[in-house]
Amino acid sequence: MPQVSNKGKQMPESPIRKLVPYADIAKKKGNKVYHLNIGQPDIKTPQCALDAVKNVDIKVLEYSHSAGFESYRIKLSNYYKNHGLPIDVQDIIVTTGGSEALLFAMGSTMDVDDEIIIPEPFYANYNGFSTASGVKVVPVISTIETGFALPPIADFEKLITSKTKAILICNPGNPTGYLYSNEEIQQLAALVKKYDLFLIADEVYREFIYDETEKHYSVMNVPGIEENAIMIDSVSKRYSMCGARIGCIVSKNKEVMATAMKFAQARLSPPTFAQIASEAALETPQSYFTEVIEEYKERRDVLISELNKIEGVKVGLPKGAFYCIAQLPVKNADDFAQWLLESYDYNGETVMVAPAAGFYSTPNMGLNEVRIAYVLKKEDLIRSVEILKNALQVYNSKP
């Protein structure tokens, strides 16, 4: 029979979604499952975005420009400038989610067998995007002991070869919640200048910073790396619009953007209704974000406080995004996560977590870690950790 491609065989499964069949089984048994595995916020989407789609008067659902609606890009440029980012309309191509923006970035800057250095643990789909692009991920390891801070620059330099084309960071980080300092961003900027590399920054969680003493530092704000810097963005988390699938690739590098445009033309255009919603979402009042950030901060504090009460659990304090990596007193978090859904319940309830090994590309890393998304209300987070505590006791007492 015909065979699937080697590339297809090498495509990794999502550590976030691969346990879904077991969650379905748990639910069919009548168990309630608390989903800590996926970054799907329960925050309401801004009403202005929903109303824009509901009230639109369209007679023909046409293609948009391959770069996205000009009206949206103009407003998006103004949005960035209001946040101190010197981004013009011509620096933006609208994409089908941040995922497509990353694929465009890799396709525009790397050839097959080229290398991209990524601090790990990292967003699991970076592995998938790299495989789809024929690019090799070269991991540089950060650790829970440092709160997943940027590894020493010397560790990056050891890994740079003639095949290295880019460094990719997520800031604030998924899955760690780490927020890079200005000093760390400057160190990376100096490194990419020294070796003539691209610095790709996934900044989709930019607004989710929880401590007043902390600030987000964008690669688009670093003087001298205008030709090196590529920013990835998305409406998914900012406006709780994951289903819209609208993002963008941003760069001052005209050759990169002209190349990315060819990829954009090949897929024709981003979706019209989703762009209408995203453009309207830019009118969201600041009060919305103030409430959302306060809610997530409270959720973070509750989750970390409760996790720290469990003997044998180690967790860092995330400074941004809405995830944390927790080290559990188990040998194999994959087995534990599946067992939670398949064989365990606590008064008819259980939890679903994302095993963290899938957020590494180094073999045997993160085997006893899970990613937890604090996208549930505080009461549910407290209950989830109570279930997790009991589950660990039961699991570790198994014969």
Side-chain angles (χ1 to χ4, degrees), residues 160-369:
I160 293 174
T161 71
S162 60
K163 287 284 192 180
T164 308
K165 292 295 173 68
I167 294 170
L168 169 59
I169 60 170
C170 186
N171 184 33
N174 174 7
T176 64
Y178 186 76
L179 178 68
Y180 290 109
S181 67
N182 184 41
E183 181 184 1
E184 289 171 323
I185 295 296
Q186 294 296 337
Q187 287 176 342
L188 288 170
L191 186 67
V192 297
K193 282 283 285 184
K194 179 179 178 180
Y195 290 96
D196 204 21
L197 306 175
F198 289 103
L199 178 56
I200 304 172
D202 182 345
E203 299 185 1
V204 304
Y205 297 97
R206 180 188 304 103
E207 284 78 13
F208 298 91
I209 312 295
Y210 302 120
D211 300 303
E212 292 180 3
T213 56
E214 302 289 351
K215 180 184 174 184
H216 181 262
Y217 295 95
S218 173
V219 295
M220 299 304 295
N221 256 342
V222 182
I225 63 164
E226 290 82 3
E227 298 301 308
N228 309 74
I230 300 172
M231 185 183 87
I232 307 298
D233 206 358
S234 168
V235 305
S236 291
K237 314 303 180 179
R238 181 180 304 132
Y239 303 112
S240 195
M241 287 171 55
C242 295
R245 309 311 306 133
I246 291 292
C248 61
I249 177 172
V250 177
S251 182
K252 294 284 183 183
N253 186 313
K254 288 182 170 53
E255 189 176 7
V256 165
M257 294 307 285
T259 306
M261 177 56 80
K262 291 189 280 188
F263 285 92
Q265 290 169 343
R267 65 80 163 102
L268 304 183
S269 65
T272 293
F273 279 121
Q275 287 185 84
I276 290 169
S278 300
E279 184 173 330
L282 289 168
E283 304 300 324
T284 303
Q286 181 57 40
S287 58
Y288 172 89
F289 298 104
T290 302
E291 291 175 15
V292 168
I293 298 305
E294 183 57 34
E295 175 65 23
Y296 276 124
K297 183 180 187 302
E298 290 176 7
R299 292 178 181 189
R300 177 200 68 169
D301 293 346
V302 163
L303 175 68
I304 301 303
S305 173
E306 294 301 308
L307 286 171
N308 280 327
K309 294 176 184 176
I310 304 177
E311 186 178 350
V313 170
K314 182 186 290 186
V315 60
L317 180 69
K319 298 177 182 178
F322 35 69
Y323 310 98
C324 69
I325 291 284
Q327 203 172 82
L328 304 181
V330 298
K331 288 184 178 178
N332 189 316
D334 263 288
D335 180 77
F336 175 65
Q338 183 174 328
W339 173 84
L340 278 169
L341 298 167
E342 197 174 30
S343 306
Y344 169 83
D345 73 273
Y346 185 57
N347 297 327
E349 298 180 323
T350 190
V351 294
M352 187 175 183
V353 293
F359 296 89
Y360 292 82
S361 62
T362 301
N364 300 318
M365 288 295 295
L367 294 180
N368 64 339
E369 297 173 355

Side-chain angles (χ1 to χ4, degrees), residues 14-26:
S14 167
I16 306 164
R17 297 173 183 266
K18 70 179 183 179
L19 294 173
V20 167
Y22 299 102
D24 292 341
I25 291 169

